[in-house]
Amino acid sequence: MISITRVDTTGDLRYCKVYLSVLGEVNEKEFAKGLKSAAPWLRRELGGALSLRYTPELTFVLDKSIEHGAYISGLLEKLELPEEPEDTEEDET
């Protein structure tokens, strides 16, 4: 499964950097090669769907932030934290 996590464009909308996250293991070189070969088709489709003077040139970046977040979350779940003692003191007034 592929998710778009972020898109950055230049001010004139001529260039667009698309950050993608992939669920599961993937060969990064093959993934980048496939996206690079699909970029002209995607750009044509984007140009047909948008009313812009220029269709942005697409650049794809593999984003590992979701994978990294899942790793950190797994580490936090494995932590064995001591339980906090309950406050048994009563206010003396």
Side-chain angles (χ1 to χ4, degrees), residues 2-4 8 15 29 32 34 36 39 43-45 47 49 53 57 66 70 80 83 90 93:
I2 300 172
S3 300
I4 297 174
D8 289 334
Y15 300 95
K29 288 183 182 180
K36 188 173 182 178
R43 186 176 185 199
R44 241 185 337 273
E45 291 295 312
R53 182 176 211 135
E57 184 177 321
I66 293 176
E80 294 180 16
E83 291 184 27
E90 293 183 21
T93 52

Side-chain angles (χ1 to χ4, degrees), residues 1-91:
M1 183 166 81
I2 300 172
S3 300
I4 297 174
T5 57
R6 189 170 114 194
V7 176
D8 289 334
T9 58
T10 57
D12 61 0
L13 299 177
R14 288 191 183 219
Y15 300 95
C16 178
K17 190 178 285 191
V18 181
Y19 295 85
L20 300 167
S21 177
V22 180
L23 183 62
E25 292 185 28
V26 64
N27 182 336
E28 290 183 32
K29 288 183 182 180
E30 290 295 320
F31 185 69
K33 185 178 175 182
L35 286 172
K36 188 173 182 178
S37 70
W41 180 82
L42 289 169
R43 186 176 185 199
R44 241 185 337 273
E45 291 295 312
L46 188 62
L50 299 175
S51 298
L52 296 173
R53 182 176 211 135
Y54 302 103
T55 302
E57 184 177 321
L58 302 173
T59 305
F60 298 98
V61 178
L62 190 58
D63 183 5
K64 296 184 178 185
S65 63
I66 293 176
E67 180 182 328
H68 184 69
Y71 173 74
I72 296 297
S73 180
L75 288 177
L76 291 173
E77 287 178 6
K78 290 179 185 177
L79 286 178
E80 294 180 16
L81 299 175
E83 291 184 27
E84 293 182 24
E86 292 184 26
D87 192 16
T88 56
E89 295 180 24
E90 293 183 21
D91 290 338

